[in-house]
Amino acid sequence: MKSLNKIVFIMLLTSVFAVLTSAAYALEVNGEGVDRHQALNNALRSAVEMEVGTAVASGTLVENGVLLNDEIATRSKGYVSSYKIISEGPIDGGGYQVRVDATVDRKLLFDNYQTLDILQRMSGLPRLLVFAEDEEFNSIPASSMDKLVHEVADVFGTKFRFEVIDWPLSKAKYTSIEGMMSLDKAVKFNKLIKADYVVTVELNENNDGPSELILKCVRLSDNLKVGEIRREVKAASSELKKPAEKFNAAVESADQEVYWASVKLAKKMLDFMESELDRGKGFRYTLTFLGFPDVSDIGPSLEELPGFVRREVKRKGSKNVELVYWSTLRTEALDSQIRKDLKDLGVEEFDSSVSGRVLKYRWKDPEGF
């Protein structure tokens, strides 16, 4: 009987969730405010809050519900695909009231709610370097986009708990890196910066239509583009003549799109990282051990490390061995474990290098064994 009840409960829960995640749903809601604009915004927010509340009540998306409810509700306009004002007017004693029939895009709402939920619960996320680019002739200068960089960094760091290097705030720490940051510099100086990925922010003006906000993510170890998000941005007024005024207006317009552009890029990164895990096979590394008098103990000892999934010997000689090694650990943690393992084997002195997921160790001290 308990099993049957459990099956019925799951079927009901699945049915509820299927209904909740349908494309759109209309709600009649009231909003009040000091003026018409605030009253309308509050009404639209109420519609979205009702949908988020339904999700939490259904038991399908409870994790961090309070935080995520607030995050989504404060950006409610992006989820309302259309609305119709049913009634409006002043309130006795002051203020304004609006009643609307609002259509909420449930699919977008729940997709992003789930993305936030998953990202919040993930641990060991990579270290990101976030900076602005101005590669195109019509790009807003990178020096004018600090605000957008801070917004992106805040989304990845504060909201999703990534370890983030916000370049405009951090460049004073890295005095040896001169000028504006670029992908080439990020690669060149990564031993100093120690980032896994870069997230770039670019804003291109378009005289014939909306401007475009572009966020890209690139993995530094092999220069692989993980994802790219493009969002249309309302063009700055043609009445603005001074470049600085046009740049500031463009940045202000793009600021309205930064949050969800960052969310969508984060989802692409999440999907990428999950695919790299390859259904439990772990991250793929190349481990090389050079000049060791006896390499026979190294391979088996690596199987005892935390996060080990499997290993394959690619090349092996009397003093050298190259392994393909799968682990659930990130590079820095794996390197630390290997160093400890080598010392446990009696290897006191050795040189090492780490480049992406290629780790090399060279025996240094003949007295170590």
Side-chain angles (χ1 to χ4, degrees), residues 66-127:
V66 175
L67 172 64
L68 302 184
N69 186 333
D70 183 63
E71 283 304 316
I72 287 176
T74 54
R75 292 165 175 84
S76 58
K77 276 190 175 181
Y79 298 113
V80 177
S81 55
S82 65
Y83 66 89
K84 180 175 66 177
I85 295 178
I86 300 173
S87 62
E88 63 177 304
I91 302 173
D92 292 341
Y96 204 88
Q97 183 178 51
V98 175
R99 183 170 182 80
V100 300
D101 185 352
T103 300
V104 178
D105 187 335
R106 281 183 162 183
K107 185 177 187 307
L108 178 61
L109 172 63
F110 280 76
D111 282 351
N112 285 322
Y113 196 104
Q114 287 177 298
T115 298
L116 286 165
D117 179 49
I118 292 168
L119 287 171
Q120 286 283 356
R121 288 187 285 110
M122 286 191 70
S123 60
L125 291 173
R127 183 171 164 88

Side-chain angles (χ1 to χ4, degrees), residues 13 16-17 20-21 48-62 72 106 109-110 113-114:
L13 192 60
V16 169
F17 189 66
L20 290 174
T21 54
V48 175
E49 284 182 330
M50 287 175 67
E51 290 301 289
V52 176
T54 302
V56 174
S58 73
T60 57
L61 300 166
V62 178
I72 287 176
R106 281 183 162 183
L109 172 63
F110 280 76
Y113 196 104
Q114 287 177 298

Side-chain angles (χ1 to χ4, degrees), residues 266-306:
K267 188 176 188 303
K268 283 183 177 289
M269 292 177 65
L270 173 63
D271 291 341
F272 174 77
M273 287 185 285
E274 287 183 333
S275 68
E276 276 220 316
L277 286 172
D278 196 14
R279 296 183 182 179
K281 292 182 180 178
F283 297 107
R284 185 180 187 276
Y285 293 92
T286 299
L287 308 181
T288 304
F289 299 86
L290 302 170
F292 287 79
D294 184 3
V295 295
S296 60
D297 291 336
I298 292 176
S301 69
L302 294 175
E303 296 183 7
E304 304 298 322
L305 298 185

